[in-house]
Amino acid sequence: MGYYISVEENIKIYVEDLYPEGHQTILFIHGWPANHKMFEYQFNEFSCKGYRCIGVDTRGFGKSDKPLTGYSYDRLADDIRCVIEALGLQDITLSGHSTGGAIAIRYMARHQGYGVSKLALFAAAAPSLIERPNFPYGLKRGDVIKIIQDTYNDRPKMLQGFGDMFFFQYVTQSFSNWFLQLGLEAAGWSTAAIAKTWLDETLFSDMREICVPTLILHGIHDKVVHFDLGEAQNQEIENSHLIPFRYSGHGLFYDEKDKFNKVLSQFIEG
């Protein structure tokens, strides 16, 4: 079932809640530039296994409201807090892909892990998506600036190019078209705003505040969030475990979906 949850005055975000009576709860935060539908192949399996699966469309994406402002990691983490409080969630596994992983990390630090007993990061864009003087990994700053420019000039073409580098395994043209449509459901201004956020946000100190068991899944062929970032997360997050996905790119949830689902399930049940 779907809900609209108020996170600010006149701003609501969409939440898909599948199998609310489930024995374990997983809250999924999608990556840029998609929405909760990107986890279709996790919802399919986990709900049948008796899990409650909650997918959030972050503001500006999917069915959520699309304001001009509010795209800092702080505000996006606060939106997640609103969802967790509104649904009365406790002892959940908070999981995030790419920018969704960054939001999850900021949530854990900013809200002291409220309601969360385990954290799962999938190709998380942390501690920094771009190279910095103290962090020689990640994308070049100019690459992100080009994404922003291309978003304003020809967003469908930008999204198509991004989709072409997203997966390591072969995907059909039909699947590629579906994935493109997920990105097109967002607003142009929110798509650009999140990319701008990558230029300024870092999560070095946030990672050190995480104290719950943390699973880190990362494709070694990831061209968006390089594998080095997963290693950095594993080094800085206490009680974390990194599992490389040797046949995956950025879209490891689909590249190796059977392994992905199995490992995530084992982590939740462990």
Side-chain angles (χ1 to χ4, degrees):
M1 63 183 69
Y3 309 100
Y4 280 96
I5 293 175
S6 178
V7 295
E8 285 188 285
E9 186 176 359
N10 299 322
I11 298 176
K12 295 182 175 63
I13 63 173
Y14 180 79
V15 174
E16 188 72 34
D17 189 358
L18 186 63
Y19 197 54
E21 61 271 29
H23 66 282
Q24 297 271 14
T25 299
I26 317 170
L27 192 155
F28 293 92
I29 310 175
H30 64 84
W32 180 96
N35 54 60
H36 81 276
K37 295 176 187 176
M38 70 182 292
F39 292 115
E40 174 178 338
Y41 299 93
Q42 283 65 56
F43 273 51
N44 286 348
E45 182 167 331
F46 281 95
S47 60
C48 292
K49 289 182 175 180
Y51 293 88
R52 181 183 187 182
C53 297
I54 300 173
V56 176
D57 284 353
T58 58
R59 65 168 65 204
F61 296 81
K63 296 180 180 179
S64 290
D65 287 344
K66 300 171 174 63
L68 288 175
T69 60
Y71 297 99
S72 69
Y73 286 169
D74 282 354
R75 180 61 254 180
L76 295 169
D78 292 349
D79 289 351
I80 298 301
R81 176 66 181 256
C82 291
V83 171
I84 289 175
E85 287 188 340
L87 298 182
L89 303 179
Q90 297 179 349
D91 297 322
I92 69 170
T93 297
L94 180 63
S95 63
H97 175 261
S98 195
T99 298
I103 297 167
I105 290 172
R106 176 57 54 84
Y107 176 86
M108 296 300 294
R110 184 170 170 85
H111 295 284
Q112 296 79 50
Y114 176 85
V116 177
S117 59
K118 293 183 178 181
L119 177 67
L121 304 173
F122 320 135
S128 171
L129 184 62
I130 66 170
E131 293 179 351
R132 299 185 188 277
N134 63 333
F135 190 72
Y137 311 108
L139 301 177
K140 301 290 185 182
R141 185 179 183 88
D143 293 339
V144 172
I145 291 173
K146 186 176 188 305
I147 288 173
I148 297 167
Q149 293 172 339
D150 290 347
T151 298
Y152 286 129
N153 292 326
D154 190 340
R155 186 165 65 102
K157 182 180 179 181
M158 181 281 294
L159 291 172
Q160 184 68 68
F162 186 74
D164 290 343
M165 63 185 288
F166 202 92
F167 301 98
F168 179 70
Q169 300 287 346
Y170 168 79
V171 297
T172 65
Q173 187 61 51
S174 298
F175 186 93
S176 179
N177 293 341
W178 169 79
F179 193 73
L180 171 62
Q181 290 303 313
L182 298 187
L184 289 173
E185 290 180 27
W189 56 86
S190 53
T191 303
I194 291 294
K196 292 175 184 177
T197 297
W198 300 332
L199 298 174
D200 300 320
E201 295 272 14
T202 63
L203 296 145
F204 294 97
S205 61
D206 300 74
M207 294 191 301
R208 292 189 285 270
E209 296 188 39
I210 296 171
C211 56
V212 301
T214 300
L215 177 68
I216 301 168
L217 307 182
H218 215 115
I220 66 170
H221 302 284
D222 197 327
K223 296 179 180 178
V224 181
V225 179
H226 300 162
F227 186 73
D228 294 328
L229 274 68
E231 294 179 318
Q233 295 159 30
N234 187 37
Q235 183 175 352
E236 294 296 329
I237 299 175
E238 185 179 353
N239 195 17
S240 65
H241 181 52
L242 169 63
I243 297 181
F245 276 57
R246 303 194 178 279
Y247 306 100
S248 291
H250 196 49
L252 69 167
F253 56 88
Y254 188 75
D255 276 333
E256 295 181 80
K257 66 176 181 292
D258 292 339
K259 176 182 177 180
F260 182 98
N261 293 346
K262 179 180 179 180
V263 169
L264 181 56
S265 179
Q266 290 173 340
F267 171 68
I268 296 170
E269 297 292 341

Short mmCIF file of all heavy atoms in Angstrom, two decimals, residues 137-198:
data_model
loop_
_atom_site.label_atom_id
_atom_site.label_comp_id
_atom_site.label_asym_id
_atom_site.label_seq_id
_atom_site.Cartn_x
_atom_site.Cartn_y
_atom_site.Cartn_z
N TYR A 137 40.12 9.55 -4.00
CA TYR A 137 39.27 8.55 -4.66
C TYR A 137 38.02 9.23 -5.19
O TYR A 137 37.75 10.38 -4.92
CB TYR A 137 38.90 7.43 -3.68
CG TYR A 137 40.07 6.87 -2.92
CD1 TYR A 137 40.23 7.15 -1.56
CD2 TYR A 137 41.02 6.08 -3.54
CE1 TYR A 137 41.31 6.65 -0.85
CE2 TYR A 137 42.12 5.58 -2.84
CZ TYR A 137 42.25 5.86 -1.50
OH TYR A 137 43.31 5.37 -0.80
N GLY A 138 37.22 8.48 -5.92
CA GLY A 138 35.95 9.02 -6.39
C GLY A 138 36.05 9.70 -7.74
O GLY A 138 37.08 9.67 -8.43
N LEU A 139 34.96 10.35 -8.12
CA LEU A 139 34.87 11.03 -9.40
C LEU A 139 35.62 12.35 -9.38
O LEU A 139 35.85 12.93 -8.32
CB LEU A 139 33.40 11.30 -9.74
CG LEU A 139 32.46 10.10 -9.84
CD1 LEU A 139 31.03 10.57 -10.11
CD2 LEU A 139 32.91 9.11 -10.91
N LYS A 140 35.99 12.81 -10.56
CA LYS A 140 36.56 14.15 -10.68
C LYS A 140 35.44 15.18 -10.48
O LYS A 140 34.31 14.96 -10.90
CB LYS A 140 37.19 14.34 -12.06
CG LYS A 140 38.29 13.35 -12.40
CD LYS A 140 39.54 13.59 -11.59
CE LYS A 140 40.65 12.67 -12.06
NZ LYS A 140 41.89 12.83 -11.23
N ARG A 141 35.78 16.28 -9.86
CA ARG A 141 34.80 17.34 -9.66
C ARG A 141 34.19 17.79 -10.99
O ARG A 141 32.98 18.02 -11.09
CB ARG A 141 35.45 18.53 -8.95
CG ARG A 141 34.48 19.64 -8.58
CD ARG A 141 35.20 20.78 -7.86
NE ARG A 141 34.26 21.81 -7.44
CZ ARG A 141 33.61 21.82 -6.29
NH1 ARG A 141 33.83 20.84 -5.42
NH2 ARG A 141 32.77 22.79 -5.99
N GLY A 142 35.01 17.87 -12.00
CA GLY A 142 34.53 18.28 -13.32
C GLY A 142 33.52 17.32 -13.91
O GLY A 142 32.63 17.74 -14.66
N ASP A 143 33.62 16.03 -13.57
CA ASP A 143 32.65 15.05 -14.07
C ASP A 143 31.26 15.33 -13.51
O ASP A 143 30.25 15.20 -14.23
CB ASP A 143 33.09 13.63 -13.69
CG ASP A 143 34.36 13.20 -14.40
OD1 ASP A 143 34.69 13.79 -15.45
OD2 ASP A 143 35.03 12.28 -13.89
N VAL A 144 31.21 15.71 -12.25
CA VAL A 144 29.91 16.02 -11.63
C VAL A 144 29.36 17.33 -12.20
O VAL A 144 28.15 17.44 -12.47
CB VAL A 144 30.04 16.10 -10.10
CG1 VAL A 144 28.75 16.61 -9.47
CG2 VAL A 144 30.40 14.73 -9.54
N ILE A 145 30.21 18.30 -12.40
CA ILE A 145 29.76 19.56 -12.98
C ILE A 145 29.17 19.32 -14.38
O ILE A 145 28.15 19.91 -14.74
CB ILE A 145 30.92 20.56 -13.05
CG1 ILE A 145 31.31 20.99 -11.62
CG2 ILE A 145 30.55 21.78 -13.88
CD1 ILE A 145 32.54 21.85 -11.54
N LYS A 146 29.76 18.40 -15.12
CA LYS A 146 29.23 18.07 -16.45
C LYS A 146 27.85 17.41 -16.34
O LYS A 146 26.95 17.68 -17.14
CB LYS A 146 30.18 17.16 -17.21
CG LYS A 146 29.74 16.91 -18.66
CD LYS A 146 30.73 16.08 -19.42
CE LYS A 146 30.37 16.03 -20.91
NZ LYS A 146 28.99 15.56 -21.16
N ILE A 147 27.68 16.54 -15.34
CA ILE A 147 26.36 15.93 -15.12
C ILE A 147 25.31 17.00 -14.86
O ILE A 147 24.20 16.95 -15.40
CB ILE A 147 26.42 14.93 -13.94
CG1 ILE A 147 27.20 13.69 -14.35
CG2 ILE A 147 25.02 14.55 -13.48
CD1 ILE A 147 27.46 12.73 -13.21
N ILE A 148 25.67 17.99 -14.05
CA ILE A 148 24.74 19.08 -13.75
C ILE A 148 24.40 19.86 -15.01
O ILE A 148 23.23 20.15 -15.29
CB ILE A 148 25.35 20.01 -12.69
CG1 ILE A 148 25.55 19.24 -11.37
CG2 ILE A 148 24.46 21.23 -12.46
CD1 ILE A 148 26.41 19.97 -10.36
N GLN A 149 25.42 20.21 -15.78
CA GLN A 149 25.19 20.95 -17.03
C GLN A 149 24.33 20.15 -18.00
O GLN A 149 23.40 20.71 -18.61
CB GLN A 149 26.54 21.30 -17.66
CG GLN A 149 27.37 22.30 -16.87
CD GLN A 149 28.77 22.48 -17.41
OE1 GLN A 149 29.29 21.62 -18.12
NE2 GLN A 149 29.41 23.59 -17.06
N ASP A 150 24.63 18.86 -18.13
CA ASP A 150 23.86 18.02 -19.04
C ASP A 150 22.42 17.85 -18.58
O ASP A 150 21.50 17.71 -19.40
CB ASP A 150 24.52 16.65 -19.18
CG ASP A 150 25.83 16.70 -19.95
OD1 ASP A 150 26.10 17.74 -20.59
OD2 ASP A 150 26.59 15.71 -19.90
N THR A 151 22.21 17.87 -17.26
CA THR A 151 20.84 17.78 -16.73
C THR A 151 20.02 18.98 -17.19
O THR A 151 18.85 18.84 -17.57
CB THR A 151 20.88 17.73 -15.19
OG1 THR A 151 21.58 16.55 -14.77
CG2 THR A 151 19.47 17.70 -14.61
N TYR A 152 20.62 20.14 -17.18
CA TYR A 152 19.92 21.35 -17.59
C TYR A 152 19.77 21.45 -19.11
O TYR A 152 18.81 22.06 -19.60
CB TYR A 152 20.65 22.59 -17.07
CG TYR A 152 20.50 22.83 -15.59
CD1 TYR A 152 21.60 23.04 -14.78
CD2 TYR A 152 19.24 22.84 -14.99
CE1 TYR A 152 21.46 23.28 -13.42
CE2 TYR A 152 19.08 23.07 -13.63
CZ TYR A 152 20.21 23.29 -12.85
OH TYR A 152 20.07 23.52 -11.50
N ASN A 153 20.67 20.84 -19.86
CA ASN A 153 20.66 20.99 -21.32
C ASN A 153 19.91 19.88 -22.04
O ASN A 153 19.22 20.15 -23.04
CB ASN A 153 22.10 21.05 -21.84
CG ASN A 153 22.82 22.30 -21.42
OD1 ASN A 153 22.20 23.36 -21.30
ND2 ASN A 153 24.12 22.21 -21.18
N ASP A 154 20.04 18.63 -21.58
CA ASP A 154 19.37 17.50 -22.23
C ASP A 154 19.30 16.36 -21.22
O ASP A 154 20.08 15.41 -21.26
CB ASP A 154 20.15 17.06 -23.48
CG ASP A 154 19.39 16.06 -24.34
OD1 ASP A 154 18.45 15.42 -23.82
OD2 ASP A 154 19.75 15.91 -25.53
N ARG A 155 18.34 16.47 -20.31
CA ARG A 155 18.26 15.50 -19.22
C ARG A 155 18.02 14.07 -19.70
O ARG A 155 18.66 13.13 -19.20
CB ARG A 155 17.17 15.92 -18.21
CG ARG A 155 17.12 15.03 -16.97
CD ARG A 155 16.32 15.68 -15.87
NE ARG A 155 14.91 15.83 -16.22
CZ ARG A 155 13.94 15.03 -15.77
NH1 ARG A 155 14.23 14.03 -14.94
NH2 ARG A 155 12.69 15.24 -16.11
N PRO A 156 17.13 13.83 -20.69
CA PRO A 156 16.96 12.45 -21.15
C PRO A 156 18.26 11.83 -21.68
O PRO A 156 18.56 10.67 -21.40
CB PRO A 156 15.91 12.59 -22.26
CG PRO A 156 15.12 13.79 -21.88
CD PRO A 156 16.13 14.73 -21.31
N LYS A 157 19.04 12.60 -22.42
CA LYS A 157 20.31 12.07 -22.93
C LYS A 157 21.28 11.79 -21.79
O LYS A 157 21.99 10.78 -21.78
CB LYS A 157 20.94 13.06 -23.92
CG LYS A 157 22.23 12.55 -24.53
CD LYS A 157 22.80 13.56 -25.52
CE LYS A 157 24.12 13.06 -26.11
NZ LYS A 157 24.71 14.06 -27.05
N MET A 158 21.33 12.69 -20.80
CA MET A 158 22.20 12.48 -19.64
C MET A 158 21.81 11.20 -18.92
O MET A 158 22.66 10.37 -18.56
CB MET A 158 22.11 13.69 -18.70
CG MET A 158 23.00 13.61 -17.45
SD MET A 158 22.35 12.58 -16.10
CE MET A 158 20.88 13.53 -15.63
N LEU A 159 20.50 11.02 -18.70
CA LEU A 159 20.03 9.83 -18.00
C LEU A 159 20.33 8.56 -18.78
O LEU A 159 20.67 7.53 -18.20
CB LEU A 159 18.53 9.95 -17.74
CG LEU A 159 18.10 11.01 -16.71
CD1 LEU A 159 16.59 11.14 -16.70
CD2 LEU A 159 18.63 10.68 -15.33
N GLN A 160 20.19 8.63 -20.09
CA GLN A 160 20.49 7.46 -20.91
C GLN A 160 21.97 7.08 -20.80
O GLN A 160 22.32 5.91 -20.63
CB GLN A 160 20.14 7.73 -22.38
CG GLN A 160 20.35 6.53 -23.29
CD GLN A 160 19.36 5.42 -23.00
OE1 GLN A 160 18.16 5.57 -23.24
NE2 GLN A 160 19.84 4.30 -22.46
N GLY A 161 22.83 8.07 -20.85
CA GLY A 161 24.25 7.81 -20.71
C GLY A 161 24.60 7.26 -19.33
O GLY A 161 25.44 6.36 -19.20
N PHE A 162 23.96 7.79 -18.31
CA PHE A 162 24.19 7.31 -16.95
C PHE A 162 23.73 5.86 -16.82
O PHE A 162 24.42 5.03 -16.23
CB PHE A 162 23.45 8.20 -15.96
CG PHE A 162 23.73 7.86 -14.52
CD1 PHE A 162 24.94 8.20 -13.95
CD2 PHE A 162 22.78 7.22 -13.74
CE1 PHE A 162 25.22 7.90 -12.61
CE2 PHE A 162 23.04 6.91 -12.41
CZ PHE A 162 24.26 7.25 -11.85
N GLY A 163 22.58 5.55 -17.40
CA GLY A 163 22.08 4.18 -17.37
C GLY A 163 23.00 3.21 -18.08
O GLY A 163 23.16 2.06 -17.66
N ASP A 164 23.66 3.67 -19.14
CA ASP A 164 24.56 2.81 -19.91
C ASP A 164 25.78 2.38 -19.10
O ASP A 164 26.40 1.36 -19.40
CB ASP A 164 25.00 3.51 -21.19
CG ASP A 164 23.88 3.66 -22.21
OD1 ASP A 164 22.87 2.94 -22.07
OD2 ASP A 164 24.01 4.49 -23.13
N MET A 165 26.16 3.17 -18.09
CA MET A 165 27.32 2.83 -17.27
C MET A 165 26.93 2.26 -15.91
O MET A 165 27.79 1.96 -15.09
CB MET A 165 28.21 4.06 -17.08
CG MET A 165 27.57 5.21 -16.33
SD MET A 165 28.60 6.71 -16.24
CE MET A 165 29.86 6.20 -15.09
N PHE A 166 25.65 2.10 -15.68
CA PHE A 166 25.13 1.73 -14.37
C PHE A 166 25.34 0.25 -14.06
O PHE A 166 25.71 -0.11 -12.94
CB PHE A 166 23.63 2.06 -14.33
CG PHE A 166 23.07 2.24 -12.96
CD1 PHE A 166 23.03 3.49 -12.36
CD2 PHE A 166 22.54 1.16 -12.26
CE1 PHE A 166 22.49 3.67 -11.10
CE2 PHE A 166 22.00 1.33 -11.00
CZ PHE A 166 21.98 2.59 -10.41
N PHE A 167 25.09 -0.60 -15.06
CA PHE A 167 25.15 -2.05 -14.85
C PHE A 167 26.38 -2.64 -15.51
O PHE A 167 26.83 -2.17 -16.56
CB PHE A 167 23.89 -2.72 -15.39
CG PHE A 167 22.62 -2.22 -14.75
CD1 PHE A 167 21.84 -1.25 -15.37
CD2 PHE A 167 22.21 -2.70 -13.52
CE1 PHE A 167 20.69 -0.78 -14.78
CE2 PHE A 167 21.05 -2.23 -12.92
CZ PHE A 167 20.29 -1.27 -13.55
N PHE A 168 26.92 -3.69 -14.90
CA PHE A 168 28.06 -4.41 -15.48
C PHE A 168 27.58 -5.57 -16.34
O PHE A 168 28.13 -5.85 -17.40
CB PHE A 168 28.98 -4.92 -14.37
CG PHE A 168 30.17 -5.69 -14.87
CD1 PHE A 168 31.19 -5.05 -15.55
CD2 PHE A 168 30.26 -7.06 -14.65
CE1 PHE A 168 32.29 -5.76 -16.01
CE2 PHE A 168 31.36 -7.78 -15.12
CZ PHE A 168 32.38 -7.13 -15.79
N GLN A 169 26.54 -6.24 -15.90
CA GLN A 169 25.97 -7.34 -16.66
C GLN A 169 25.10 -6.81 -17.80
O GLN A 169 24.64 -5.67 -17.77
CB GLN A 169 25.12 -8.23 -15.75
CG GLN A 169 25.88 -8.86 -14.59
CD GLN A 169 26.81 -9.98 -15.01
OE1 GLN A 169 26.72 -10.47 -16.12
NE2 GLN A 169 27.71 -10.36 -14.13
N TYR A 170 24.86 -7.66 -18.76
CA TYR A 170 23.99 -7.30 -19.88
C TYR A 170 22.56 -7.09 -19.39
O TYR A 170 22.04 -7.87 -18.59
CB TYR A 170 24.00 -8.41 -20.94
CG TYR A 170 22.92 -8.26 -21.98
CD1 TYR A 170 23.06 -7.36 -23.03
CD2 TYR A 170 21.73 -9.00 -21.90
CE1 TYR A 170 22.07 -7.21 -23.98
CE2 TYR A 170 20.74 -8.86 -22.84
CZ TYR A 170 20.91 -7.95 -23.87
OH TYR A 170 19.92 -7.81 -24.81
N VAL A 171 21.93 -6.02 -19.83
CA VAL A 171 20.50 -5.81 -19.59
C VAL A 171 19.82 -5.62 -20.93
O VAL A 171 20.42 -5.10 -21.88
CB VAL A 171 20.23 -4.59 -18.67
CG1 VAL A 171 20.83 -4.80 -17.29
CG2 VAL A 171 20.74 -3.30 -19.28
N THR A 172 18.58 -6.05 -21.01
CA THR A 172 17.85 -5.93 -22.27
C THR A 172 17.51 -4.47 -22.55
O THR A 172 17.53 -3.62 -21.65
CB THR A 172 16.55 -6.74 -22.21
OG1 THR A 172 15.69 -6.17 -21.20
CG2 THR A 172 16.83 -8.20 -21.88
N GLN A 173 17.18 -4.19 -23.80
CA GLN A 173 16.76 -2.84 -24.15
C GLN A 173 15.49 -2.46 -23.41
O GLN A 173 15.32 -1.31 -22.99
CB GLN A 173 16.53 -2.73 -25.66
CG GLN A 173 16.26 -1.31 -26.14
CD GLN A 173 17.43 -0.37 -25.86
OE1 GLN A 173 18.57 -0.67 -26.21
NE2 GLN A 173 17.15 0.77 -25.23
N SER A 174 14.62 -3.43 -23.21
CA SER A 174 13.38 -3.16 -22.46
C SER A 174 13.69 -2.75 -21.03
O SER A 174 13.09 -1.80 -20.50
CB SER A 174 12.49 -4.40 -22.47
OG SER A 174 12.11 -4.74 -23.78
N PHE A 175 14.63 -3.45 -20.40
CA PHE A 175 15.01 -3.09 -19.03
C PHE A 175 15.67 -1.72 -19.00
O PHE A 175 15.39 -0.90 -18.11
CB PHE A 175 15.97 -4.15 -18.46
CG PHE A 175 16.31 -3.93 -17.01
CD1 PHE A 175 15.58 -4.56 -16.02
CD2 PHE A 175 17.36 -3.10 -16.64
CE1 PHE A 175 15.88 -4.36 -14.67
CE2 PHE A 175 17.67 -2.89 -15.31
CZ PHE A 175 16.93 -3.53 -14.32
N SER A 176 16.52 -1.45 -19.97
CA SER A 176 17.18 -0.15 -20.05
C SER A 176 16.15 0.97 -20.19
O SER A 176 16.26 2.02 -19.55
CB SER A 176 18.16 -0.12 -21.23
OG SER A 176 18.79 1.14 -21.34
N ASN A 177 15.14 0.74 -21.02
CA ASN A 177 14.08 1.74 -21.19
C ASN A 177 13.32 1.97 -19.88
O ASN A 177 12.97 3.11 -19.54
CB ASN A 177 13.11 1.30 -22.28
CG ASN A 177 13.76 1.28 -23.66
OD1 ASN A 177 14.80 1.90 -23.89
ND2 ASN A 177 13.15 0.56 -24.59
N TRP A 178 13.04 0.88 -19.17
CA TRP A 178 12.34 0.98 -17.88
C TRP A 178 13.17 1.79 -16.89
O TRP A 178 12.64 2.67 -16.21
CB TRP A 178 12.08 -0.42 -17.33
CG TRP A 178 11.61 -0.46 -15.92
CD1 TRP A 178 10.34 -0.21 -15.47
CD2 TRP A 178 12.39 -0.75 -14.75
NE1 TRP A 178 10.29 -0.35 -14.09
CE2 TRP A 178 11.52 -0.67 -13.63
CE3 TRP A 178 13.73 -1.08 -14.55
CZ2 TRP A 178 11.97 -0.92 -12.34
CZ3 TRP A 178 14.17 -1.32 -13.26
CH2 TRP A 178 13.29 -1.23 -12.17
N PHE A 179 14.46 1.52 -16.84
CA PHE A 179 15.31 2.23 -15.89
C PHE A 179 15.40 3.72 -16.23
O PHE A 179 15.40 4.57 -15.34
CB PHE A 179 16.70 1.60 -15.88
CG PHE A 179 17.55 2.05 -14.73
CD1 PHE A 179 17.31 1.61 -13.45
CD2 PHE A 179 18.60 2.94 -14.94
CE1 PHE A 179 18.09 2.03 -12.38
CE2 PHE A 179 19.38 3.37 -13.89
CZ PHE A 179 19.12 2.92 -12.60
N LEU A 180 15.43 4.02 -17.52
CA LEU A 180 15.42 5.43 -17.95
C LEU A 180 14.16 6.14 -17.46
O LEU A 180 14.22 7.29 -16.99
CB LEU A 180 15.53 5.51 -19.47
CG LEU A 180 15.33 6.90 -20.10
CD1 LEU A 180 16.41 7.87 -19.63
CD2 LEU A 180 15.32 6.79 -21.63
N GLN A 181 13.03 5.46 -17.55
CA GLN A 181 11.78 6.08 -17.13
C GLN A 181 11.77 6.41 -15.64
O GLN A 181 11.15 7.39 -15.21
CB GLN A 181 10.60 5.16 -17.47
CG GLN A 181 10.32 5.04 -18.96
CD GLN A 181 10.06 6.39 -19.61
OE1 GLN A 181 9.29 7.21 -19.10
NE2 GLN A 181 10.71 6.63 -20.73
N LEU A 182 12.47 5.61 -14.83
CA LEU A 182 12.55 5.92 -13.41
C LEU A 182 13.19 7.29 -13.19
O LEU A 182 12.71 8.09 -12.38
CB LEU A 182 13.36 4.84 -12.66
CG LEU A 182 12.83 3.41 -12.67
CD1 LEU A 182 13.67 2.55 -11.73
CD2 LEU A 182 11.36 3.35 -12.28
N GLY A 183 14.26 7.54 -13.93
CA GLY A 183 14.92 8.83 -13.81
C GLY A 183 14.07 9.98 -14.32
O GLY A 183 14.10 11.09 -13.76
N LEU A 184 13.30 9.73 -15.35
CA LEU A 184 12.46 10.78 -15.93
C LEU A 184 11.28 11.14 -15.02
O LEU A 184 10.67 12.20 -15.20
CB LEU A 184 11.95 10.34 -17.31
CG LEU A 184 13.01 10.29 -18.42
CD1 LEU A 184 12.43 9.67 -19.68
CD2 LEU A 184 13.58 11.68 -18.69
N GLU A 185 10.95 10.29 -14.05
CA GLU A 185 9.88 10.61 -13.12
C GLU A 185 10.28 11.71 -12.14
O GLU A 185 9.43 12.31 -11.49
CB GLU A 185 9.45 9.35 -12.36
CG GLU A 185 8.72 8.33 -13.21
CD GLU A 185 8.31 7.09 -12.43
OE1 GLU A 185 8.11 7.21 -11.20
OE2 GLU A 185 8.22 6.00 -13.03
N ALA A 186 11.57 11.95 -12.02
CA ALA A 186 12.05 13.03 -11.15
C ALA A 186 11.88 14.36 -11.84
O ALA A 186 11.65 14.44 -13.06
CB ALA A 186 13.51 12.80 -10.79
N ALA A 187 12.01 15.44 -11.08
CA ALA A 187 12.05 16.77 -11.67
C ALA A 187 13.48 17.09 -12.09
O ALA A 187 14.45 16.59 -11.50
CB ALA A 187 11.58 17.81 -10.66
N GLY A 188 13.61 17.92 -13.11
CA GLY A 188 14.94 18.31 -13.55
C GLY A 188 15.70 19.05 -12.47
O GLY A 188 16.90 18.82 -12.26
N TRP A 189 15.00 19.94 -11.75
CA TRP A 189 15.70 20.75 -10.74
C TRP A 189 16.15 19.90 -9.55
O TRP A 189 17.22 20.15 -9.01
CB TRP A 189 14.81 21.90 -10.27
CG TRP A 189 13.47 21.51 -9.73
CD1 TRP A 189 13.15 21.14 -8.46
CD2 TRP A 189 12.24 21.43 -10.47
NE1 TRP A 189 11.82 20.84 -8.35
CE2 TRP A 189 11.22 21.02 -9.57
CE3 TRP A 189 11.89 21.69 -11.81
CZ2 TRP A 189 9.89 20.85 -9.96
CZ3 TRP A 189 10.56 21.52 -12.19
CH2 TRP A 189 9.59 21.11 -11.27
N SER A 190 15.37 18.89 -9.19
CA SER A 190 15.81 18.03 -8.09
C SER A 190 16.95 17.11 -8.53
O SER A 190 17.86 16.81 -7.74
CB SER A 190 14.64 17.21 -7.54
OG SER A 190 13.97 16.50 -8.57
N THR A 191 16.90 16.67 -9.77
CA THR A 191 18.00 15.85 -10.30
C THR A 191 19.31 16.63 -10.25
O THR A 191 20.34 16.11 -9.82
CB THR A 191 17.69 15.43 -11.75
OG1 THR A 191 16.44 14.72 -11.79
CG2 THR A 191 18.78 14.54 -12.33
N ALA A 192 19.27 17.88 -10.67
CA ALA A 192 20.47 18.72 -10.62
C ALA A 192 20.86 19.05 -9.18
O ALA A 192 22.05 19.09 -8.84
CB ALA A 192 20.24 20.00 -11.41
N ALA A 193 19.88 19.30 -8.32
CA ALA A 193 20.16 19.69 -6.94
C ALA A 193 20.93 18.61 -6.19
O ALA A 193 21.86 18.91 -5.43
CB ALA A 193 18.87 20.02 -6.21
N ILE A 194 20.56 17.35 -6.40
CA ILE A 194 21.29 16.27 -5.73
C ILE A 194 22.72 16.20 -6.25
O ILE A 194 23.67 16.01 -5.48
CB ILE A 194 20.57 14.93 -5.92
CG1 ILE A 194 19.24 14.92 -5.15
CG2 ILE A 194 21.45 13.78 -5.48
CD1 ILE A 194 19.38 14.97 -3.64
N ALA A 195 22.90 16.35 -7.55
CA ALA A 195 24.26 16.34 -8.11
C ALA A 195 25.09 17.49 -7.53
O ALA A 195 26.28 17.32 -7.24
CB ALA A 195 24.20 16.43 -9.63
N LYS A 196 24.47 18.64 -7.33
CA LYS A 196 25.18 19.75 -6.70
C LYS A 196 25.57 19.41 -5.26
O LYS A 196 26.63 19.82 -4.77
CB LYS A 196 24.31 21.02 -6.72
CG LYS A 196 24.08 21.59 -8.11
CD LYS A 196 23.11 22.78 -8.05
CE LYS A 196 22.80 23.31 -9.43
NZ LYS A 196 21.79 24.41 -9.39
N THR A 197 24.71 18.66 -4.59
CA THR A 197 24.98 18.26 -3.22
C THR A 197 26.26 17.44 -3.12
O THR A 197 27.01 17.56 -2.15
CB THR A 197 23.79 17.46 -2.66
OG1 THR A 197 22.63 18.30 -2.63
CG2 THR A 197 24.05 16.94 -1.26
N TRP A 198 26.52 16.60 -4.13
CA TRP A 198 27.74 15.79 -4.12
C TRP A 198 29.01 16.63 -4.03
O TRP A 198 30.02 16.19 -3.51
CB TRP A 198 27.82 14.93 -5.37
CG TRP A 198 26.70 13.98 -5.57
CD1 TRP A 198 25.91 13.38 -4.61
CD2 TRP A 198 26.22 13.49 -6.83
NE1 TRP A 198 24.99 12.56 -5.20
CE2 TRP A 198 25.15 12.60 -6.56
CE3 TRP A 198 26.60 13.69 -8.15
CZ2 TRP A 198 24.46 11.94 -7.57
CZ3 TRP A 198 25.92 13.05 -9.16
CH2 TRP A 198 24.86 12.17 -8.87
#
